[in-house]
Amino acid sequence: MLTLTGTTHLFGGEQGFCQRLLRFLDRLGFTAAIAIAGTPGAAHALARYSGEAITILPSGTETRAIANLPIAALRLPPDTLETAARFGLEHIADLYFLPRGLLARRLGRKAVTRLDQARGLTDEPIVPVVPVEDPYVERRLLEPITTAEVITLVISDLVDDLAVTLESRGLGVRTIVLTYLRVDGHTQQFRIGMAGATRDASHLKRMLGMRVERVEPGLGIEAISLRAPRTEPLTPATVDALAEGPNSGKIILLSDQLAGRVGEEALFRVGSNESDVPERAIKRIGVTTQPVGWPSWPRPIRLLRPPEPLLNVAVLMPDHPPRRFAWRGRTYRVVRGDGPERICGEWWRTASELWAVRDYFRIETEEGERLWLFRRGDGVDTATGDLSWYVHGVFG
Amino acid sequence: MTTYVELQVTSHFSFLRGASSPEELFSAAKLLGHTALGLADWGTVGGVVRGWDAQKTTGVRMLAGTRVALTDGRSLLLYPTDRAAWSRITRLLSIGKGRGGKGCCLLGWDDIADHANGVIAIFLPDVPDEGTARALDDLRDVFGTRAHMALSLRRRPDDVARLHALDGLALAAGVRSVATGHVLYHSSEARPLQDVMTAIRERTTIDELGFRRERFMDRDLKSPTEMERRFTTFHHAIQASADIASECQFDLSEIQYQYPYEQVMKGRTAQEALSFLTQQAATRMFPDGIPLPYPHHLRPHHRS
């Protein structure tokens, strides 16, 4: 399928163009038929079913011109053609007189669209075929080279050029072919495969550099070329200034892939929120954001939500950790404790927090469990809490 | 009979830090059973007059002092033992304010050392580390037996361990530990007000304040009995607070109004000296004779 709009006068008109093309194909051994029409659908139909070598159709006469052609000329799938045959529909003209709704029900929407496209009632955009060339770079040298150092230098230049080409086309190479042309006319080829698509120049140079020793320069090499016969799309990667270490780029790649699968919202990192109330001390931040501002105070590895109440607490008031308590049906004996760490309610958030106070204690039990307990209230003023005890967290 | 004397009290004369007036603090102190209270505001002695009034009303003796933050990060409480030491402290503050301008006090360790005579110093340590040990050595070298280090509970993790470590450092350096309550308000009910003041100081809203809030809790004034219970294991630090109070015998009533000495020229009264200098300057300004409109202004001003 060719679009000829505005070009045929260069070849002696439409008739002349078709004759030249047929002669050209004849020389190559092909027997061809050409149709020029106002719509791709009509041209397709006439070229295949008109029985003439050259059909040139004035624009706007498609409906009449294809009327007597078989329905198969309409680029329909085989099962639709079978159905049409069962209904006794043979020629395209047979379809003209059927109600469109009925036609769509019997033969499918596709048939209606194809018919309209052929008659010029619906636009049919032509998707152009763009020729794709393998990324290719080469260097022809003024003087033949023989030493490994110079060859490495030339390869390095070639890789840089190739990387630019790849980047501009959004590609990464999977296979790369290095060709040396020697002054005596012989060529040497090396083919290198990559585990994953890449256009990392330093990586490619390393891979190619390992092959330099195997070159036999003979009297000298006068040209070196690099071709990438196998490429894959490679989207640009963001370089993260915050992340450090050799794997940072891979982490970003991984997080991108994970986010693509589970959703942007489901992937997060835990960061510090500037609040002393443990429930509010963390927030979700972006995966690539570095959390900052963690307070240096020890905090349990695991926070219970909600805090679980303690029973049968034996304690010396007001600022000692409990000596004994029951939690989840077990009785614990405290051997060590630190506290209280006093955390006041954030009175600007809710009225109930105005005077609320929690006294936190880090304790260690006889069996070695380390827990984070708190008591509601400061142990002196009843407005600060009812002196009930809870476990809020478990240290590692 | 209790021995503890609270020596680290910040009133609202520490602008946007303390949340209570000296009157509120002294009333609360009276009700809690204190016999004396040390008033030490940040870089100022501005609160002592109101504190002195409160002393007369409540009968709780005021120890007039100040709190200075040095440019190297160290903080000290300074208390005068006598009037001469009081003068040194106020002169020190004048120097600091002269450098720092309004609301700012720029002082270095050398300034402190120059004004240390007769002054009791209480160093306010953060964590027991090498910096603290160095500061304690400096303190002992300059203040000798008048060097102290504050021990106060912050209600933060590892509080007691921190106090024991600090007490050990002080002992090693030959500096006495003294228990203090680092008081910011007279009653825990003033805590929200204090948060608001911090927000104003930091030029932000209470929601945005975050960790710029007061990081240490429990800043209300406690009774001497409660403080002695909390510092049972540091009895020497309680005793030190009483010893400081008994050493600080300076009372604000010792300061009478004194008309500053007038610098006059020899053989002339102040008025004659002024006339003489004016005439001299006028002659220098107008060598060809004083213009007509001026002689009127140059006539001697009479003191009313």
Side-chain angles (χ1 to χ4, degrees):
Chain A
M1 188 92 58
L2 295 173
T3 307
L4 298 175
T5 314
T7 57
T8 46
H9 66 279
L10 300 170
F11 308 97
E14 292 178 341
Q15 190 70 37
F17 172 74
C18 289
Q19 281 164 356
R20 281 177 67 179
L21 189 56
L22 284 178
R23 274 201 303 276
F24 173 70
L25 289 168
D26 192 42
R27 273 209 302 281
L28 291 175
F30 292 103
T31 307
I34 299 174
I36 296 177
T39 66
H44 177 96
L46 289 168
R48 283 163 181 75
Y49 292 94
S50 68
E52 292 178 36
I54 298 174
T55 315
I56 295 173
L57 199 64
S59 204
T61 60
E62 289 85 357
T63 305
R64 194 143 36 87
I66 63 170
N68 290 322
L69 300 182
I71 287 174
L74 280 179
R75 297 178 290 172
L76 295 173
D79 52 337
T80 309
L81 294 176
E82 257 179 58
T83 315
R86 244 185 299 140
F87 286 111
L89 302 167
E90 283 180 33
H91 301 288
I92 294 176
D94 297 344
L95 305 178
Y96 291 175
F97 305 102
L98 288 174
R100 293 172 64 83
L102 183 74
L103 196 60
R105 271 204 304 285
R106 298 292 183 213
L107 300 183
R109 273 178 184 283
K110 187 80 176 170
V112 178
T113 311
R114 284 303 193 195
L115 183 62
D116 287 349
Q117 283 173 345
R119 295 172 72 184
L121 302 177
T122 307
D123 285 340
E124 185 182 1
I126 297 174
V127 181
V129 179
V130 180
V132 180
E133 288 173 28
D134 293 338
Y136 177 82
V137 287
E138 72 162 4
R139 275 281 198 294
R140 296 198 163 272
L141 306 157
L142 292 173
E143 289 188 5
I145 56 171
T146 49
T147 60
E149 288 78 23
V150 183
I151 294 172
T152 310
L153 201 67
V154 175
I155 290 175
S156 167
D157 287 349
L158 284 171
V159 169
D160 287 337
D161 291 354
L162 188 68
V164 171
T165 310
L166 290 169
E167 186 153 19
S168 66
R169 286 167 61 174
L171 294 173
V173 292
R174 288 295 304 272
T175 307
I176 196 165
V177 177
L178 180 65
T179 310
Y180 297 97
L181 180 65
R182 279 175 16 189
V183 283
D184 57 5
H186 287 283
T187 59
Q188 267 185 293
Q189 271 200 348
F190 295 92
R191 177 178 283 263
I192 297 161
M194 314 284 161
T198 179
R199 56 167 174 266
D200 181 357
S202 59
H203 179 60
L204 291 174
K205 282 176 197 170
R206 216 165 29 245
M207 302 276 283
L208 292 168
M210 290 189 279
R211 266 85 174 170
V212 168
E213 289 111 348
R214 292 199 233 151
V215 181
E216 289 158 14
L219 291 170
I221 293 165
E222 63 178 8
I224 305 177
S225 69
L226 265 184
R227 194 163 58 85
R230 200 170 148 222
T231 54
E232 279 175 9
L234 184 66
T235 48
T238 324
V239 178
D240 190 353
L242 293 171
E244 285 166 13
N247 287 326
S248 56
K250 290 173 190 164
I251 294 282
I252 292 162
L253 209 64
L254 174 69
S255 75
D256 284 347
Q257 286 171 352
L258 286 173
R261 280 174 193 243
V262 299
E264 293 279 326
E265 294 298 308
L267 203 65
F268 60 90
R269 197 163 174 171
V270 175
S272 163
N273 190 30
E274 290 204 357
S275 169
D276 286 335
V277 178
E279 287 92 333
R280 299 191 187 117
I282 55 166
K283 65 179 172 192
R284 292 180 175 196
I285 58 172
V287 180
T288 51
T289 318
Q290 286 288 355
V292 288
W294 290 110
S296 54
W297 303 325
R299 286 289 181 260
I301 197 104
R302 192 168 158 234
L303 208 61
L304 300 177
R305 179 186 296 210
E308 296 178 14
L310 303 184
L311 297 172
N312 306 328
V313 181
V315 62
L316 196 64
M317 293 291 274
D319 51 10
H320 288 267
R323 286 180 179 167
R324 199 176 61 239
F325 60 88
W327 173 50
R328 288 184 179 175
R330 250 186 73 194
T331 299
Y332 294 84
R333 230 169 244 289
V334 178
V335 288
R336 279 186 196 83
D338 175 66
E341 177 185 348
R342 180 154 298 178
I343 292 175
C344 296
E346 298 183 331
W347 53 268
W348 57 92
R349 288 185 197 269
T350 58
S352 60
E353 285 184 54
L354 181 52
W355 303 121
V357 167
R358 285 179 184 173
D359 274 352
Y360 278 86
F361 294 86
R362 273 187 302 153
I363 59 109
E364 190 176 314
T365 66
E366 241 173 5
E367 283 80 24
E369 291 107 328
R370 300 172 98 195
L371 302 171
W372 207 34
L373 313 180
F374 75 84
R375 178 192 62 210
R376 293 173 61 177
D378 62 6
V380 178
D381 187 356
T382 48
T384 58
D386 57 8
L387 305 185
S388 51
W389 285 86
Y390 299 84
V391 56
H392 202 170
V394 182
F395 287 90
Chain B
M1 188 61 197
T2 57
T3 50
Y4 177 72
V5 176
E6 180 57 63
L7 290 170
Q8 193 181 352
V9 179
T10 306
S11 80
H12 66 193
F13 281 87
S14 301
F15 192 53
L16 296 179
R17 288 188 195 275
S20 300
S21 66
E23 288 88 344
E24 286 172 318
L25 289 162
F26 277 84
S27 312
K30 175 71 180 171
L31 293 173
L32 290 167
H34 284 275
T35 53
L37 198 66
L39 193 60
D41 279 311
W42 291 54
T44 182
V45 290
V48 296
V49 179
R50 299 264 296 276
W52 192 44
D53 275 346
Q55 168 183 324
K56 284 187 269 187
T57 315
T58 60
V60 177
R61 184 162 78 90
M62 177 187 68
L63 305 174
T66 190
R67 171 181 171 148
V68 289
L70 305 187
T71 45
D72 60 8
R74 284 182 256 182
S75 285
L76 297 170
L77 301 178
L78 301 177
Y79 283 99
T81 51
D82 54 20
R83 217 199 99 181
W86 169 258
S87 302
R88 274 188 280 278
I89 288 176
T90 50
R91 202 170 303 131
L92 179 72
L93 292 177
S94 299
I95 292 170
K97 281 175 190 296
R99 288 184 198 141
K102 188 174 164 61
C104 193
C105 193
L106 289 181
L107 290 170
W109 180 250
D110 293 340
D111 302 309
I112 299 291
D114 289 344
H115 297 80
N117 204 4
V119 174
I120 290 171
I122 305 173
F123 172 65
L124 304 174
D126 181 24
V127 285
D129 58 8
E130 281 175 33
T132 301
R134 265 199 307 278
L136 288 172
D137 285 339
D138 286 347
L139 198 70
R140 185 211 46 233
D141 292 345
V142 171
F143 289 94
T145 55
R146 285 173 283 105
H148 297 77
M149 184 197 70
L151 291 180
S152 28
L153 285 165
R154 293 174 162 179
R155 295 306 194 200
R156 288 297 170 206
D158 301 315
D159 227 4
V160 179
R162 186 181 64 91
L163 288 192
H164 276 285
L166 283 172
D167 194 40
L169 279 183
L171 192 69
V175 172
R176 272 187 97 179
S177 302
V178 54
T180 70
H182 67 154
V183 176
L184 268 185
Y185 30 82
H186 70 289
S187 152
S188 57
E189 284 161 27
R191 180 170 51 81
L193 173 63
Q194 209 282 326
D195 284 338
V196 172
M197 285 166 57
T198 308
I200 297 169
R201 195 181 74 227
E202 295 290 336
R203 295 166 195 273
T204 182
T205 63
I206 194 78
D207 295 296
E208 300 293 315
L209 195 52
F211 286 160
R212 286 174 290 176
R213 292 173 69 201
E214 277 303 324
R215 303 306 290 131
F216 309 131
M217 286 296 139
D218 215 14
R219 310 293 291 271
D220 53 316
L221 187 65
K222 313 286 186 310
S223 73
T225 324
E226 170 66 9
M227 289 303 285
E228 282 169 28
R229 185 188 68 76
R230 291 183 183 200
F231 285 89
T232 318
T233 43
F234 301 97
H235 187 259
H236 56 285
I238 294 286
Q239 187 56 48
S241 74
D243 292 348
I244 290 174
S246 65
E247 265 183 81
C248 286
Q249 285 307 322
F250 169 70
D251 190 273
L252 218 58
S253 61
E254 293 175 38
I255 301 176
Q256 296 298 321
Y257 179 71
Q258 287 177 313
Y259 188 72
Y261 174 68
E262 265 185 297
Q263 195 79 47
V264 291
M265 296 170 90
K266 215 165 184 146
R268 286 192 171 94
T269 66
Q271 181 59 40
E272 281 166 358
L274 180 63
S275 293
F276 174 73
L277 287 171
T278 311
Q279 282 298 336
Q280 235 182 358
T283 320
R284 198 164 56 241
M285 193 83 133
F286 309 106
D288 305 330
I290 298 163
L292 261 179
Y294 289 102
H296 168 73
H297 296 290
L298 293 178
R299 262 184 312 192
H301 288 259
H302 293 283
R303 269 192 280 191
S304 53

